[in-house]
Amino acid sequence: MDGSLGLERTERQGEVLDAALALLVEGRERFTMESVARRASCSKETLYKWFDDRDGLLTAVVQWQASKVRPGAYDAANLTASALRASLEDFAVTWLGVVSGPPSIALNRAAAAHAGGGKAELGQILLSEGRFAIGARVKPLLEAAREAGLLSFDDSETAFRTLFGLVARDVQIRLLLGDRPAIDIAREAAKAADQFLTLYATPKPQKGPHP
Amino acid sequence: MDGSLGLERTERQGEVLDAALALLVEGRERFTMESVARRASCSKETLYKWFDDRDGLLTAVVQWQASKVRPGAYDAANLTASALRASLEDFAVTWLGVVSGPPSIALNRAAAAHAGGGKAELGQILLSEGRFAIGARVKPLLEAAREAGLLSFDDSETAFRTLFGLVARDVQIRLLLGDRPAIDIAREAAKAADQFLTLYATPKPQKGPHP
DNA sequence: GTCGAACCGTACCGTACGGTACGCTGCAAT
DNA sequence: ATTGCAGCGTACCGTACGGTACGGTTCGAC
């Protein structure tokens, strides 16, 4: 999956979506068709033509931003204990940086509100481009580390969810609820990696079961 | 704090708030002054008289429900390793049960949406009656366990946040975004308690893990 | 130059909703 | 019985917003 879902946008459409996103992120003004049109210097009619309706516009904005912050892959070759630790820490730093950023906060709030009415579409997009995409990138790393004898676990999904919890803690929910927790990302990331390794690193540094 | 904040409600007011809450939780109908009045069989004028405006009503609803689910205290006397484990597990079960319940989901969504406009009041209420109230109950347990030589940590806040992360993992955010993760609460709670003890239990002086 | 498509700006429509006003009923106190 | 008040139901007002219509402008194709 490349995230485009066959929805290529023209340059102008990208500008409009950026403007809409900025509006949503700032939060100074309500996200209304008119405010988007004004901000993007386009007509409402164009918005309706391109994105069908308000929901379509919102969906396109979420899609647009989510596809911009695809997580990077982690090198699973030549894994050493220190390289693994570095990758875990890097994942944690990146993730904390993204979710504590205003775009993530605004989009997640919008999606949560959207899910309040029956519609779960925005949430699904954010989850599949965020949480699940990340899982898909990190799990191979974990499995490679297991292969290399560095980690031991039964289920990589379970292991990843533990890592996720150790990194996230209460940060995301507090941010979504309007709290502004002071977090030292580097420090928290290091601690999370540390704790994860404490839980999952194989007891003794040995070579794996497959020489 | 007893959670009342000097806001005693008459029985009738409680009924109205229950009706409003039910409306919010079901999500079938928009949360509007008229729909609340209809559902509660009261007049809009009464709503405005009692709760000032829509925000006041929403705040009262959040206050009302949040104060109903105060976390219980954990017995910190005669702590043994198994009693500690049981308390941790109990906390995890309770917390997962609450946050995966429709009222919590609906209220958190409403608060997140509310925080989208500058207003963080609902979020603050939920955090102080939820996350922080729980922390205030659990931290004494952790400190007592440290006193009893069962745990070792520097900062109980940090330790609690780790416990929080191990219990919550990705559950709450997925629920808020409309996903319906299938979780086995008892199992996840046990695992979280297990992992927390692995991270924070003081190494046993002599007893080997394999008798 | 002419044509047509795309798009901008704005005016407009219908509705939903927050908030107010008012008349009516039931009830408790005197 | 009279009075006063709390509260129900409903009608009403103003506005904000989703969605549509339309005239004017730019620009590329021919």
Side-chain angles (χ1 to χ4, degrees):
Chain A
M1 281 192 294
D2 64 351
S4 72
L5 298 175
L7 290 176
E8 292 301 327
R9 300 291 183 191
T10 68
E11 187 179 345
R12 177 65 181 135
Q13 287 175 338
E15 292 173 20
V16 170
L17 290 174
D18 280 332
L21 180 66
L23 199 69
L24 198 63
V25 168
E26 294 169 13
R28 303 179 54 91
E29 205 174 349
R30 295 242 321 167
F31 187 86
T32 179
M33 299 303 275
E34 193 204 341
S35 65
V36 170
R38 192 175 344 109
R39 179 65 167 263
S41 293
C42 72
S43 72
K44 283 170 65 177
E45 193 164 13
T46 300
L47 292 182
Y48 284 102
K49 176 169 189 173
W50 287 347
F51 309 108
D52 289 341
D53 53 13
R54 188 178 185 277
D55 263 21
L57 174 57
L58 217 37
T59 304
V61 170
V62 171
Q63 202 96 247
W64 182 248
Q65 166 66 10
S67 67
K68 280 200 287 190
V69 289
R70 310 289 317 217
Y74 295 97
D75 190 9
N78 307 323
L79 261 188
T80 65
S82 64
L84 172 60
R85 172 182 297 263
S87 286
L88 292 174
E89 223 176 299
D90 180 52
F91 154 70
V93 167
T94 303
W95 190 85
L96 283 171
V98 168
V99 298
S100 62
S104 169
I105 297 174
L107 260 39
N108 277 283
R109 278 177 184 157
H114 208 73
K119 299 167 278 190
E121 188 176 358
L122 295 189
Q124 285 305 323
I125 295 171
L126 284 182
L127 283 173
S128 62
E129 304 269 337
R131 149 70 240 253
F132 292 119
I134 289 173
R137 303 297 179 119
V138 170
K139 269 150 50 167
L141 172 70
L142 301 182
E143 281 158 5
R146 178 174 58 181
E147 212 66 22
L150 297 171
L151 298 177
S152 26
F153 52 81
D154 287 340
D155 177 23
S156 64
E157 170 70 10
T158 304
F160 170 69
R161 292 186 64 219
T162 297
L163 176 60
F164 187 96
L166 288 171
V167 173
R169 292 182 161 94
D170 59 355
V171 170
Q172 196 168 20
I173 185 64
R174 287 174 68 176
L175 289 169
L176 288 189
L177 292 181
D179 196 15
R180 318 212 4 128
I183 57 174
D184 180 340
I185 289 185
R187 187 179 173 78
E188 305 243 328
K191 187 165 184 69
D194 229 47
Q195 292 179 320
F196 181 78
L197 289 174
T198 301
L199 289 175
Y200 285 101
T202 62
K204 313 235 175 194
Q206 299 171 349
K207 48 187 180 160
H210 294 295
Chain B
M1 282 190 293
D2 64 350
S4 72
L5 298 176
L7 289 176
E8 292 301 328
R9 299 291 182 191
T10 68
E11 187 179 344
R12 177 65 182 136
Q13 286 175 339
E15 291 172 20
V16 171
L17 290 175
D18 280 331
L21 180 65
L23 200 67
L24 198 62
V25 168
E26 295 170 13
R28 303 178 56 91
E29 206 174 350
R30 295 243 317 166
F31 187 87
T32 178
M33 300 304 276
E34 194 205 339
S35 65
V36 171
R38 192 175 344 109
R39 178 65 168 263
S41 293
C42 72
S43 72
K44 283 170 64 175
E45 192 164 14
T46 301
L47 292 182
Y48 284 103
K49 176 170 188 173
W50 285 347
F51 309 109
D52 289 342
D53 55 13
R54 188 178 186 278
D55 263 22
L57 174 57
L58 217 38
T59 305
V61 170
V62 171
Q63 203 95 246
W64 182 248
Q65 167 65 10
S67 68
K68 281 200 285 190
V69 289
R70 310 290 315 223
Y74 294 96
D75 189 11
N78 307 324
L79 259 189
T80 65
S82 63
L84 172 61
R85 174 184 296 263
S87 287
L88 293 175
E89 223 174 300
D90 181 51
F91 154 71
V93 167
T94 303
W95 190 85
L96 283 171
V98 169
V99 299
S100 62
S104 170
I105 297 174
L107 260 40
N108 277 284
R109 279 177 184 159
H114 208 73
K119 299 168 279 190
E121 189 177 358
L122 296 188
Q124 286 304 324
I125 295 171
L126 285 181
L127 283 173
S128 60
E129 304 268 338
R131 150 71 240 253
F132 292 119
I134 288 173
R137 303 296 179 117
V138 170
K139 272 159 30 174
L141 172 70
L142 301 182
E143 281 158 5
R146 178 173 58 182
E147 212 66 22
L150 297 171
L151 298 177
S152 28
F153 53 81
D154 287 340
D155 177 23
S156 63
E157 171 70 10
T158 303
F160 171 69
R161 292 185 64 220
T162 297
L163 175 60
F164 187 96
L166 288 171
V167 174
R169 291 180 161 94
D170 59 354
V171 170
Q172 196 167 19
I173 185 64
R174 286 175 67 175
L175 288 169
L176 288 189
L177 292 182
D179 197 14
R180 312 196 29 111
I183 57 174
D184 180 339
I185 289 185
R187 187 179 171 79
E188 305 241 329
K191 187 165 183 70
D194 229 47
Q195 292 180 320
F196 181 77
L197 290 174
T198 301
L199 289 175
Y200 285 102
T202 65
K204 290 193 178 176
Q206 276 305 334
K207 304 275 179 87
H210 284 272

